[in-house]
Structure formats: C-alpha cells, structure tokens
Amino acid sequence: MLSFFSLTHAEHAPSHEFFRGQLVPCHETPARAEQVHQALQAAGHRIETTGFPDSRALLGQVHAERYLRFLQGAWADWLARDPANAARQPWPSTWPVRTLRSDLEPREFSARLGLYSFDNGTPLSAGSWAAAKAGCDAALAGAQALAGGARAAFVASRPPGHHAGPDFMGGYCFLNQAAVAAQALRAQGHARVAVLDVDYHHGNGTQAIFYARSDVFFASLHGDPSTEYPFFLGHADEEGEGEGRGFNLNLPLPAGTPAERWFAALEQACARLQALNASALVVSLGLDTFEGDPISKFKLARADFGRLGARLAGLGLPTLFVLEGGYATADLGLNAVAVLDGFEREG
Ligand code: OKS
Ligand code: ZN
C-alpha cells in the first residue's frame, strides 16, 4: 500500500511526560515511526517521504486560528521567556475549567499552554509544530492519492492527532491529521466522509471537530471512559448535536475486552457507516488495542490486525489509514503492516 511519511516527525522529541501524575520517559517516541517505516520497507510497501502539499488552509478549517498561531509560535515564546528553557520542557500550570474564562488569552506562557491543553500529558519540544504540521501535509498527500485513484493509502505520521480538537492539544496530539484528511476528502467532492477511530482511546478531538456536522460521520471503538483516558468524553449517549445529531457513534468497551467482542462492536460501526452512505473512509489507526501494549487494556493479537484490515476492505470505500497510538514499539511496525496486508488481500 502506498504510504506517506515525513522524516520531520523526528523533530518532535520531548523526553518526559506526566503519566498518572508521575514524570516518566515518553511513550510516544521517534522510534515508533522508525519501526513502522522499517516494517513497511521490509514488507515491500512504497513509501513517499517528501514533496507533500501544504495543509495550512485545511488546518484553518478544522482548528481555530488563535490555537494554530499559539502552537506555531509556542517554542519561540518559551525560549523568549528564558534562553535556558531550550533544555527544559514547558508544562501548563492552570486550566480554564468550568467557571473560568477561556475567551481571553493570558500573556503568561504557561497559562496560554493551559488554555490550549486539556491535560498535562502532552509534552512540547522544539520541533512539535514542524512534526505535527508535516503529518498533516502527509495526510493531505494521502487524501490526494485517493483522489488520483488509489484504493487506499497509509499515513505513518507522528505525533498522533485524534485527541487534538478545534482549539486544544492533549494525549500526545497537537494537530488532527485524520480531521485534515476528512476535510480534504470533503473538498474533493465526497458528500459524506466517515472517520472510524479504532485506537484504544476515544478520539475526543475528532469528535469535537465534527460533532455538529452531518457531512463527516465519526465512529469510535475504545476503552470505556469511566476508567480509561481521556475520561471526559466517549460515552455512548454522545450522538452529535444540531445538524450533526445521529452522525456520532461511540462504542465504549470495558478494559480487558477480548477480540471477539471488539469485532462485534466493529460490525456495529461498519453497519452505521454503510447506512449513512459514506463514500470515503478515514481510519484513525491506533494500534494500542494490541495485547502487548504497555498502557492499554484490549487483547488484540497480530492476526486480529489482519482481520481488521480485511473487514475494512470489505466496505469497498476509498480508505485512508492514519497512524494514531500504539506503544508496544517493537511490534508496532508489524501490527501496522498486518492491517495493510489484510486490507490488500481482501481488496
Ligand atoms: C498522559 C496521557 C495518558 C494517555 C495518553 C493516550 C494517548 C493515546 N497523561 N491516545 O490514543 O494513545
Ligand atoms: Zn491511544
């Protein structure tokens, strides 16, 4: 399968994250993308690494301009505060929850970081904007490949994107590559695009971006937010609002869910997206549903990823896979290839 991958991903390389209140080495590392890259090459998939189109205009359609301005300038602002910050990671200090105001942007850097974050688990480094933006450019290149007649393509970018919402970062995500891809497919003339999120974690950012829209259907299978990150979105009663009512489907599953139950939920999502006549599919391909994932609790095995690819090929839609989470780094590339090979065997 034709794959798109920007080496710029490596410029996003923070060292530590807050994880359940402790400062620990990052789970989301450059080695992840390198593993995927190597596995794609070893399996004979064609990989494009340069010459991607500029996704800036599309970014303005899925993210707020003031958020994009903040993120693009964030590292320079952090350094302007103190040159010694080059060797430090910034963290948000205060979040505008509930009764606090979020219409104004404070001048203080850590407060602005809080305004545009929903957690303290999304470390920023010098090249975070460049890496995330390059991932969106790769996503646009993937969408254009579909317009050019490709049956499917894979965007192997990092950092991931599905927790990034209209004006916030979170969960290792800054810019929402899957949303950019869906928006690009809409602009190509697909009247309804489906985004199917199979990452272990609910794609709260993607849901938020499209919640009031009927032209992009969002469906997600994920760990039940009553115990699993991101905790504050992803329940079954979130069905969309206004024009978007009926175009959001959440299928939360308990931690420990085995493959058969997971595939039954996948059938529900597939049935809905077919009933809604989606003509193109974006798959937020998180591979942290793997039984060996260190931070997640579903039980999919390598062979299940092949079955997933084959099932999605059966939908018969132009399909763009976009890499999201997955932290069993040594297995990540083989799991990704299993999905793509399963798709190509069936398609
Ligand atoms: C750190 C964040 C904890 C979980 C992040 C999950 C990232 C992910 N406080 N999303 O799909 O894989
Ligand atoms: Zn995840």
Side-chain angles (χ1 to χ4, degrees):
M1 186 177 297
L2 183 55
S3 296
F4 296 89
F5 171 85
S6 169
L7 298 167
T8 307
H9 81 82
E11 293 179 28
H12 174 64
S15 63
H16 287 75
E17 66 172 288
F18 276 104
F19 188 78
R20 299 169 192 158
Q22 303 299 311
L23 203 53
V24 304
C26 286
H27 291 94
E28 202 290 293
T29 59
R32 296 177 63 244
E34 286 157 18
Q35 281 288 336
V36 172
H37 196 183
Q38 277 172 24
L40 289 170
Q41 269 174 334
H45 292 281
R46 199 174 114 217
I47 307 170
E48 306 267 356
T49 59
T50 55
F52 303 151
D54 182 359
S55 62
R56 184 60 183 80
L58 282 167
L59 277 173
Q61 294 172 33
V62 300
H63 292 292
E65 282 298 336
R66 74 171 193 169
Y67 173 62
L68 294 171
R69 268 197 306 276
F70 166 75
L71 197 59
Q72 184 162 11
W75 194 260
D77 291 355
W78 172 238
L79 289 186
R81 211 178 180 226
D82 180 348
N85 280 347
R88 300 181 184 132
Q89 286 179 208
W91 300 107
S93 62
T94 309
W95 291 266
V97 299
R98 293 178 283 278
T99 62
L100 301 183
R101 285 182 68 171
S102 54
D103 57 324
L104 302 175
E105 199 179 71
R107 277 213 297 277
E108 159 59 29
F109 180 79
S110 66
R112 282 192 290 137
L113 193 54
L115 171 63
Y116 294 119
S117 306
F118 72 88
D119 68 9
N120 73 342
T122 308
L124 194 72
S125 75
S128 298
W129 164 266
K133 168 66 165 54
C136 291
D137 294 348
L140 177 55
Q144 290 184 354
L146 298 190
R151 163 90 168 86
F154 177 44
V155 181
S157 57
R158 65 166 285 280
H162 72 151
H163 297 303
D167 62 355
F168 56 82
M169 64 182 79
Y172 317 151
C173 302
F174 300 91
L175 299 174
N176 197 314
Q177 288 82 9
V180 165
Q183 194 70 25
L185 291 164
R186 283 285 296 115
Q188 287 171 16
H190 288 284
R192 179 163 296 129
V193 175
V195 180
L196 174 63
D197 191 322
V198 297
D199 188 280
Y200 179 77
H201 304 95
H202 176 250
N204 63 294
T206 315
Q207 172 169 315
I209 288 167
F210 297 117
Y211 205 58
R213 288 173 52 171
S214 60
D215 60 333
V216 179
F217 167 58
F218 177 70
S220 180
L221 280 69
H222 51 268
D224 185 335
S226 64
T227 60
E228 305 308 300
Y229 185 91
F231 307 115
F232 298 102
L233 210 67
H235 297 276
D237 66 349
E238 297 154 15
E239 297 176 344
E241 68 184 10
E243 237 180 68
R245 176 156 288 283
F247 297 92
N248 195 87
L249 176 65
N250 282 330
L251 298 163
L253 298 162
T257 291
E260 281 317 310
R261 176 138 185 230
W262 191 89
F263 279 102
L266 180 67
E267 282 311 310
Q268 284 180 264
C270 290
R272 266 290 273 288
L273 80 86
Q274 285 187 305
L276 294 174
N277 289 316
S279 62
L281 175 63
V282 176
V283 181
S284 264
L285 184 62
L287 297 159
D288 41 13
T289 49
F290 183 51
E291 56 190 355
D293 195 88
I295 67 170
S296 309
K297 297 171 191 138
F298 286 168
K299 299 279 169 246
L300 301 199
R302 179 106 72 238
D304 293 316
F305 290 114
R307 180 176 168 192
L308 168 62
R311 179 62 187 93
L312 296 179
L315 293 169
L317 299 174
T319 300
L320 188 65
F321 292 95
V322 179
L323 183 65
E324 301 281 1
Y327 309 98
T329 302
D331 290 281
L332 188 65
L334 293 173
N335 288 342
V337 165
V339 175
L340 308 184
D341 286 351
F343 188 98
E344 289 188 325
R345 255 198 317 278
E346 203 63 28

